[in-house]
Amino acid sequence: MRKNHGFTIIELIIYIAIFGMIVVGLISFALSVTTARAKTYASTEVEANGRIALAIVRGKVRAATAVTASGSVFNADPGVLRLQMPDGSVTIIDLDANDGRLRIKEGNAAPLYITSRDVKVTNLIFENLSQAGEREEVNIYLTLSYGTRTSADYSYTWSGRTAVGVRQ
């Protein structure tokens, strides 16, 4: 009587099928973890940029002595806010037309970008709430997005709004 020490073709096919299912499951799990990580990064990046941008703009408006109507663009996208500072210089808050980043230009200094390269400002509106004889106030509407329209897996949009007045 002869003993068989190998696998039959049926056993080999079953082993390969089981191994294949395990590998497919592991690859699927790894891809879902990577996608979840990218989505989390996108949302965190956009929300952090939004909070920081609004805080910086609020600080600049509070530090200003006046909102300059000439040179400012109110109630339109993209808005431009021109502020008169205590030292007599002018601070301009606007969008860079080339890359959609929010920037602040103080006096003659080079612009300071306050949003990252990964995040685009898709909506920037300043609304002048000032009344004659009262403290000047501005509403700021800001919408940021991450990603492109073709990559829905990694896209994220955030909108924020704040109102702030100049110190007098």
Side-chain angles (χ1 to χ4, degrees), residues 99-135:
D99 63 5
R101 292 192 297 162
L102 188 61
R103 66 183 176 185
I104 295 178
K105 186 168 185 332
E106 297 179 303
N108 293 326
L112 172 68
Y113 291 92
I114 57 175
T115 54
S116 72
R117 292 186 191 277
D118 295 335
V119 175
K120 303 295 179 228
V121 177
T122 57
N123 188 32
L124 176 64
I125 297 175
F126 298 106
E127 180 182 9
N128 192 353
L129 302 175
S130 303
Q131 301 291 328
E134 293 183 17
R135 188 173 108 172

Side-chain angles (χ1 to χ4, degrees), residues 12-46:
L12 195 56
I13 290 172
I14 291 171
Y15 294 139
I16 291 173
I18 291 171
F19 181 74
M21 286 188 289
I22 291 171
V23 168
V24 167
L26 290 174
I27 290 173
S28 175
F29 176 73
L31 288 175
S32 68
V33 167
T34 302
T35 301
R37 181 184 173 281
K39 286 180 181 180
T40 301
Y41 174 79
S43 65
T44 303
E45 184 74 8
V46 169

Side-chain angles (χ1 to χ4, degrees), residues 77 95 100 120-124 142-146 157-159:
D77 178 37
L95 285 183
K120 303 295 179 228
V121 177
T122 57
N123 188 32
L124 176 64
L142 181 66
T143 303
L144 304 176
S145 67
Y146 182 93
T157 301
W158 177 89
S159 294

